[in-house]
Amino acid sequence: MSWKPTPQTEDKLTKLLGAYPDRKAACIPALFLAQDELGWVPDDAIAWVSEKLGMAKSMVEGVATFYTMFNMEKIGKHHLELCTNISCSLCGAEQVLEALEKELGIKAGETTPDGLFTLHEVECLATCGMGPAMQVHDRIFEGITLEKVPEIIKELKGEG
Amino acid sequence: MDSYLTRNFDRPDAKTLAGYEKLGGFRTARKALGMKPEDVVAQVKAANLRGRGGAGFPAGVKWGFLPDNGKPRYLVVNADEGEPGTFKDRQLMERDPYQLLEGILITCHAIKAKVAYIYVRGELVHAARFLEECIEEMRFKHYLGKRCMGMPMELDVFVHRGAGAYICGEETALLNSLEGKRGEPRLKPPFPAVEGAFADPTIVNNVESIANIPHILEHGGEWFAKLGVEGDGGTRIFGVSGHVRKPGLYERPVGYNLRTLLFEDCGGIRGGNQLKAVIPGGSSTPVLLPSEIDIPLSIEGLQGAGSMVGSAAIIVMDETVCTVRAMWRLSRFYHHESCGQCTPCRDGCGWIEKIMERIEFGKGVPEDLETLEKTAHGLSGTTICPLADACAMPTLGFLGKFRKEFEEHIEKKECPYGNAFVPPWEVD
């Protein structure tokens, strides 16, 4: 195993285990801890979770691949997740998607060559009254218009 | 008093423990923790509180299913809000978290649970973090711990985040996910009340259901029951999205008129347009025509109209909407979210998506409509969980009520609406 989690991550996992009568229940939170550090879930992360929780690697991988929030491949620095489900689409999400694709020069599902942005269409983000909505890690943008698209990209670029 | 659940939504002071207490918070918990658990359950039964997640099962009755076998018991709060159109639970957690936590305290006393989990949808990062901070504050002040609020009651609460699977809103899939497994629904029986989290007796309730509990205990079950209609008490937080002038959350008594909500409270349809269709209870519920909306928003009221009140998420579509495109969007969602355990759902949702896509993009053939119907019927009631039904119901609803539009797409070999929804900036 070439990747080793930071001591802080190890501590967080130890603390998490106290919440459950069975350590395997910490599988999802543990995968999140690894992804928070690495940006995605490589084999090393699977191996770490498997060792810590006493689960077979195949079981951990089965869990990781079931849930869409775990990135099984490396993604860009900023992960743009635009909701194109019904309420957001009724309010312009399809046009916003086109504008984002044009602005970034990529299609949904792709990453920009500089590795800065990955764009994904996602399902309902539970903010349907304020659509179109887009999640970028722990930030949420609501009521996105075509004019706001370049502003949002510029703002994220400014953050490096 | 028509609204109580959302009363603190615009009060930032309610977001701290001290502020929430100043507004009268935890007074009811103190009272309820001194009551016999069975008396608390009796009040909730008398309230006719129907589950707010979608299925509408009477909460008090559910609590009564717990066996007395000495095993540990769990409360699991279902905060995996994911039904398209639904956005109330996020707000309940972010804008009045202590109301939910007070509800958890009272509920755990009533059902004698020492541990509660709040299963928060993975995407709701803020809600999850905020709840964790609030729980930490409650531990520090001994509102949680070995002696909650100085009473002989032990309780700890943990936030468990999901990771982006709609199916985990189904209670047995949620329990598998809580146990660190793939979110695949379980065969029932055993029901969670008998064998739930970690194979122990478990009650799974929606966020809004639990947030109602302090108010039921404060004013009494009878008061709550009277707010709504027979057998369906209280208020509901209706989430209105789509083409109304003022989308948003509206807390109204159960039984409130759907037309009044849309045309008075929400300001009517955008740009003075005509109403075309309303999905009344989240994306899984059959669509209604404008002529069908003069109905009470209650479980029975929507049943009478051939639909469901579901999660009270109302999606409004004006005359510019291509209903084929709307259904194609929804079928994509159900196909993506099918967990893959049951063949009818895994394959059927995919077939429906493929057929909807080809009709929308001018490649449909006349036989497609029959195939859609057959496939949808083949999905209904043939799987472990209701996700397949949730795909079949809107399919049959849209096809039944807008068949002409489906036929037009096939005859003309193109979408008469130009393969697009009209965005708001092209209307007002």
Side-chain angles (χ1 to χ4, degrees), chain B residues 2-229:
Chain B
D2 280 351
S3 73
Y4 50 89
L5 276 177
T6 53
R7 78 202 185 293
N8 288 340
F9 272 24
D10 294 317
R11 302 207 55 141
D13 45 336
K15 292 186 182 183
T16 63
L17 182 62
Y20 178 73
E21 282 211 288
K22 256 193 196 152
L23 294 166
F26 287 110
R27 220 171 36 202
T28 310
R30 248 184 213 104
K31 181 178 96 174
L33 263 49
M35 289 165 66
K36 281 190 192 148
E38 47 273 33
D39 293 342
V40 178
V41 177
Q43 287 298 323
V44 177
K45 272 189 186 156
N48 291 330
L49 169 65
R50 308 287 292 261
R52 300 308 199 222
F57 198 81
V61 177
K62 203 184 216 181
W63 295 3
F65 290 154
L66 286 166
D68 228 343
N69 56 9
K71 284 187 171 182
R73 292 171 169 189
Y74 296 104
L75 171 69
V76 178
V77 179
N78 186 343
D80 192 43
E81 179 163 66
E83 174 81 0
T86 317
F87 55 106
K88 61 189 178 69
D89 295 338
R90 180 202 275 266
Q91 303 281 331
L92 279 166
M93 292 185 282
E94 290 181 357
R95 292 167 82 172
D96 200 2
Y98 287 104
Q99 173 176 248
L100 173 64
L101 289 161
E102 185 174 3
I104 290 173
L105 206 51
I106 299 170
T107 304
C108 287
H109 172 61
I111 65 169
K112 300 175 191 164
K114 287 180 186 169
V115 175
Y117 294 100
I118 311 175
Y119 185 100
V120 181
R121 219 188 127 174
E123 288 87 346
L124 308 189
V125 187
H126 282 291
R129 260 191 220 148
F130 192 24
L131 280 170
E132 275 176 345
E133 284 168 28
C134 296
I135 290 165
E136 204 50 60
E137 178 77 7
M138 282 176 71
R139 286 184 190 133
F140 182 73
K141 295 254 172 74
H142 301 289
Y143 281 42
L144 294 172
K146 296 275 176 214
R147 280 181 65 85
C148 300
M149 307 185 89
M151 307 289 277
M153 176 192 171
E154 184 184 339
L155 177 67
D156 208 349
V157 183
F158 301 100
V159 171
H160 183 95
R161 273 177 70 206
Y166 165 74
I167 190 57
C168 293
E170 195 278 337
E171 60 180 9
T172 60
L174 186 152
L175 293 171
N176 273 342
S177 184
L178 174 67
E179 292 178 7
K181 300 172 184 154
R182 293 162 68 90
E184 288 166 345
R186 302 172 179 174
L187 272 171
K188 294 189 268 194
F191 287 91
V194 178
E195 212 172 286
F198 310 106
D200 287 327
T202 302
I203 292 296
V204 185
N205 280 142
N206 171 261
V207 168
E208 188 184 347
S209 304
I210 296 294
N212 269 299
I213 301 299
H215 305 284
I216 292 171
L217 270 295
E218 184 180 353
H219 302 288
E222 208 177 306
W223 162 85
F224 190 88
K226 273 191 194 148
L227 272 181
V229 299

Side-chain angles (χ1 to χ4, degrees), chain B residues 350-367:
Chain B
W351 290 350
I352 289 180
E353 187 202 345
K354 271 187 206 159
I355 299 171
M356 287 310 307
E357 183 170 334
R358 70 172 178 247
I359 297 176
E360 168 64 3
F361 291 94
K363 303 239 164 50
V365 291
E367 304 87 83

Side-chain angles (χ1 to χ4, degrees), chain A residues 19-21 25 28 32 62-63 66-69 84-85 87 89-91 94-95 121 124-126 128-129 135 138, chain B residues 74 85 87 90 117 121 123 126 129 160 162-164 177-178 180-183 241 243 325 329 332-333 421 424:
Chain A
Y20 308 102
I28 291 175
F32 269 129
V63 172
F66 184 85
Y67 297 93
T68 48
M69 285 180 74
T84 52
N85 206 308
S87 298
S89 280
L90 288 173
C91 293
E94 297 178 340
Q95 288 83 357
E121 280 183 75
C124 188
L125 292 170
C128 318
Q135 183 140 344
D138 56 358
Chain B
Y74 296 104
F87 55 106
R90 180 202 275 266
Y117 294 100
R121 219 188 127 174
E123 288 87 346
H126 282 291
R129 260 191 220 148
H160 183 95
S177 184
L178 174 67
K181 300 172 184 154
R182 293 162 68 90
S241 65
H243 296 158
R325 191 170 186 82
R329 281 275 159 205
R332 264 179 31 153
F333 168 72
F421 295 120

